[in-house]
Amino acid sequence: MIGLETLSKYSTPDVEKQRMIDDLLHPQLHSLVKSQYDFCESKAYYIEPTKYCPKCLRKYHEEENFCPECLVSLKHIKDVDIKLIKSDPQFKFIKSNEFNSFEEIFTQENKNRIDEFDFSTKDYNRILRNIKKSSITTFDNLIRSNEILLDDLKLFDKILLYAKSFVEVDFKSYGQELGYFSFNRITLDDRQTVSLQITTLIHELAHFILKEIMTEILCTLLDCSKNSLIESIAVFILSYSPFTQLIDEYSAHNCEGRFTLYGYQDYSSFIQIEKSLDGEMTADEIEITKSIGNNFSVSIKDILESYIDWDLRSDIKDQFLKDVIDEPNYEMLALENCNKLTDIGFLKAIWLIVSEGFSAASQNRDKLEMYETNF
């Protein structure tokens, strides 16, 4: 008879039973051992690709040198810090005239051009197309020049890189503001959650796009090329009165809300301006500013959604679910106005904004000169 001690060499661990016991007695022990096992296993059998095809973007291992399908040489995958990428977005708008001073701009002839308002829906759509085309061109150049594999980027880096096709982006870690836009530059507080950084970035980007729309409207009306003088007037028009401030802020909040998880919309900046009015505008007038803001926000969202598509919006919502700890608050949604102006009504609104704003700007040269130094 075989001795019991000799049977020990035939003994093998009952991994499944041991796992059950570990789970019952030491639930964390198994997960730790399992993760270590998986790590060892992955290190033994999986080698991370280090190269990619610049044409089809397929990934390859280090020993490969050419893509057999595209017949091009492979490039090494780089770790790129999107925050450190410098961009120089250019939104050119070329017309017949080139103004070199505010004196050349604020002539009676140009005031007449503004008042006559030779501007159509086709002109407006041409401006939107120009902005979209310029941003996509810059975006593509940023991807190519930095050898970026877009699909490999984290969600925030995808949105940040896209934002850099419009503006320069800086970061801060102080103060109460989540972020702000000023003279073609966005500053973002990186202490926020990822989801709030994304929606803040979109909010401030909407401010820039509206400024760019207003700049190119002025260029169209004055038949002039874009420069820092015209941009300064556009900045003034959007900031000199509660009427235009509300339009600017409402459209930015509305765009932000489009990409925010339902119940986490925020109109705090709009409310702050509204509270400071002290009876300057009636409730009906405020509602009209919202309607105008809706028209602008539809245009801005159309530009943004050329990249931030359904899949990215879903990713942003998922990120919100990971980040948020507060319960949703639907009260802010009551501030949203669901009305838009017709094409004719919207053109009349643009005429009102530009004609009153241009006239006011002509009386505020000192402020314009201060703005102009920032471009």
Side-chain angles (χ1 to χ4, degrees), residues 3 17 72 107-108 168 187-188 218 237 250 275 327 332:
K17 186 175 183 179
V72 297
T107 62
Q108 188 58 50
E168 293 284 359
T187 301
L188 191 67
L218 287 169
I237 289 174
Y250 182 84
K275 286 181 177 178
E327 291 295 317
M332 286 285 184

Side-chain angles (χ1 to χ4, degrees), residues 102 232 236 239-240 364-372:
F102 289 116
S232 300
F236 178 88
S239 61
Y240 84 102
N364 285 271
R365 305 287 180 89
D366 290 345
K367 185 164 284 189
L368 293 178
E369 288 170 0
M370 180 186 70
Y371 289 164
E372 204 258 337

